[in-house]
């Protein structure tokens, strides 16, 4: 009887002996092309503004955004997901700045497309929350509830103006029922058959969005629990998935990523379209904060978090570290 039990050939540690051996047998590898950089552009600022709860992430000026896009492309990152932050005075109940062809997001889309052409997939967050004075992702009815179908009309218009401005991909993120179908129709009817839809399919109502709300200067009081998913639920994601695919989603996303790897794995198993995962602001902030205190090794923690997301089934990962990580790979 050997000292290690009744399976004498079985010594898994043999394959962990050297870095080269470990590299050879690694099942998952990160590649710059896996990564998409989410980026914020803010109207009316002369210099980039660092987001206090996301050290190292900035609200960009139009110029600094273009630079960030060029750097991301040079590093081999696949895409950039743009979020617009309008001047406070331009927010209103309907989020009209979100559909104004000269609104900050549309202007930034045109800028970035002019700068990078097709070298970077230019994506736009398709949602009203950055543009509404109440901060909700949709328009409100008389009782102050988010009105699903009235919101869909706004999303249809957003899809068109974002595509007109040059988005390769639009990412409806408001979790309204029927949003993918409406956005697909709007794109098809306005000559944008080639613009793809990345559906935020399983988007949970998460405390980890906290820093993002600062990043976009959100006016939200309250929460999004009547439209974003309950963290307690898993099966509901498969229902959302079936609907999004039926409505024409080209790619689907799970968000947040880290606390929802089970959902990501289930979704990835269930579909044949590319699956994205969004490592969100709070996931970023946690690692940055712990690293600042010297409690974890920042670079190793970042790589492990991304590898875990890919291992769970993500084809693409949206991460605020995209350019930095891509450069280091
Ligand atoms: C909605 C949107 C949000 C995020 C991306 N798109 C915020 C929300 O739903 O409250 C969060 C991204 C992050 O936290 O990094 N426009």
């Amino acid at each position: 009887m050997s000292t290690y039990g009744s399976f004498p050939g079985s010594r898994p540690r043999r394959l962990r002996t050297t870095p080269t051996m470990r590299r050879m047998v690694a099942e998952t590898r990160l590649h710059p092309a896996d990564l998409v950089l989410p980026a914020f552009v803010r109207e009316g600022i002369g210099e980039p503004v660092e987001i206090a709860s996301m050290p190292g992430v900035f609200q960009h000026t139009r110029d600094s955004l273009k630079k960030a896009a060029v750097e991301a492309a040079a590093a081999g990152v696949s895409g950039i997901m743009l979020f617009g932050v309008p001047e406070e005075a331009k927010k209103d109940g309907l989020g009209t700045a979100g559909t104004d062809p000269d609104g900050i997001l549309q202007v930034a889309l045109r800028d970035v497309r002019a700068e990078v052409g097709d070298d970077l997939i230019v994506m736009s967050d398709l949602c009203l929350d950055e543009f509404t004075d109440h901060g909700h992702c949709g328009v409100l009815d008389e009782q102050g509830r988010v009105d699903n179908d009235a919101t869909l009309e706004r999303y249809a218009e957003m899809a068109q103006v974002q595509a007109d401005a040059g988005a390769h991909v639009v990412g409806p993120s408001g979790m309204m029922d029927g949003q993918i179908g409406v956005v697909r129709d709007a794109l098809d009817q306005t000559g944008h058959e080639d613009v793809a839809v990345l559906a935020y399919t399983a988007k949970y109502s998460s405390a980890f969005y906290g820093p993002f709300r600062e990043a976009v200067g959100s006016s939200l009081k309250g929460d999004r629990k009547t439209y974003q998913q309950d963290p307690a639920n898993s099966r509901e994601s498969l229902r959302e998935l079936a609907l999004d695919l039926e409505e024409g989603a080209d790619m689907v996303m799970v968000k947040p990523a880290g606390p929802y790897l089970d959902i990501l794995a289930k979704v990835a198993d269930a579909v044949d379209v590319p699956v994205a995962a969004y490592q969100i602001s709070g996931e970023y902030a946690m690692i940055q904060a712990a690293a600042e205190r010297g409690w974890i090794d920042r670079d190793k923690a970042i790589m492990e978090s991304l590898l875990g997301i890919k291992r769970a089934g993500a084809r693409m990962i949206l991460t605020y570290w995209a350019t930095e990580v891509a450069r280091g790979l």
Side-chain angles (χ1 to χ4, degrees):
M1 181 83 172
S2 66
T3 50
Y4 45 82
S6 50
F7 303 102
S10 179
R11 278 186 182 264
R13 288 186 53 196
R14 272 186 205 119
L15 299 184
R16 300 178 195 141
T17 45
T18 67
T20 318
M21 181 66 85
R22 292 193 290 274
R23 192 182 62 174
M24 184 180 76
V25 300
E27 295 172 34
T28 310
R29 286 181 225 284
L30 284 169
H31 187 277
D34 299 334
L35 306 175
V36 174
L37 176 71
F40 305 101
V41 56
R42 179 168 160 192
E43 192 172 26
I45 52 170
E47 292 292 324
V49 178
E50 189 166 19
I51 299 156
S53 50
M54 301 176 75
V57 178
F58 292 81
Q59 291 177 327
H60 284 291
T61 65
R62 287 176 60 184
D63 274 345
S64 71
L65 176 70
K66 285 192 266 185
K67 216 173 133 231
V70 169
E71 285 170 3
V77 167
S78 281
I80 189 166
M81 169 67 82
L82 298 185
F83 294 90
V85 185
E87 278 170 5
E88 203 55 37
K90 295 201 180 150
K91 291 185 180 179
D92 58 24
L94 297 175
T96 46
T99 45
D100 178 350
D102 294 318
I104 183 64
L105 181 52
Q106 283 65 254
V107 167
L109 285 165
R110 283 196 292 271
D111 283 345
V112 171
R113 268 313 291 280
E115 199 73 21
V116 300
D118 290 334
D119 292 345
L120 198 61
I121 301 301
V122 179
M123 311 185 182
S124 51
D125 186 64
L126 198 163
C127 195
L128 285 172
D129 64 320
E130 291 93 358
F131 307 102
T132 53
D133 52 12
H134 45 72
H136 276 293
C137 294
V139 298
L140 307 182
D141 67 13
E142 271 134 42
Q143 280 95 56
R145 297 173 304 199
V146 174
D147 184 331
N148 194 85
D149 295 10
T151 300
L152 293 183
E153 289 176 32
R154 302 287 298 124
Y155 287 179
E157 217 181 308
M158 280 190 107
Q160 181 188 346
V161 295
Q162 292 180 354
D164 284 346
H168 292 106
V169 175
V170 297
S173 70
M175 292 302 281
M176 295 301 128
D177 292 336
Q179 64 181 6
I180 303 306
V182 161
V183 162
R184 185 69 267 159
D185 276 352
L187 292 171
D188 290 348
Q189 283 164 20
T190 54
H192 297 300
E193 294 88 353
D194 287 344
V195 172
V197 179
L198 166 59
Y200 284 66
T201 290
K203 180 170 177 186
Y204 284 87
S205 178
S206 172
F208 296 104
Y209 299 139
F212 175 91
R213 307 258 161 99
E214 183 198 337
V216 298
S218 171
S219 316
L220 185 71
K221 314 222 163 43
D223 58 56
R224 307 199 196 289
K225 289 183 181 162
T226 69
Y227 42 105
Q228 296 180 343
Q229 288 175 236
D230 186 335
N233 297 347
S234 162
R235 291 151 55 84
E236 192 179 11
S237 287
L238 296 178
R239 184 159 181 236
E240 290 281 0
L241 177 64
L243 290 167
D244 283 358
L245 292 175
E246 209 173 281
E247 293 174 30
D250 299 291
M251 300 176 275
V252 297
M253 179 142 73
V254 173
K255 176 180 178 185
Y260 296 88
L261 293 183
D262 59 326
I263 308 296
L264 177 57
K266 256 191 205 171
V267 167
D269 275 350
V271 294
D272 52 11
V273 298
V275 177
Y278 195 144
Q279 183 181 53
I280 62 161
S281 57
E283 297 177 74
Y284 176 92
M286 283 192 295
I287 291 181
Q288 290 284 143
E292 258 175 43
R293 293 191 162 204
W295 289 351
I296 53 170
D297 180 317
R298 176 181 178 276
D299 295 357
K300 290 196 175 107
I302 291 171
M303 291 309 284
E304 187 176 331
S305 69
L306 293 170
L307 205 56
I309 294 166
K310 187 161 179 192
R311 193 191 61 236
R315 176 77 294 281
M316 298 97 74
I317 306 172
L318 282 79
T319 174
Y320 298 97
W321 289 300
T323 304
E324 176 190 329
V325 168
R327 281 183 182 140
L329 289 171

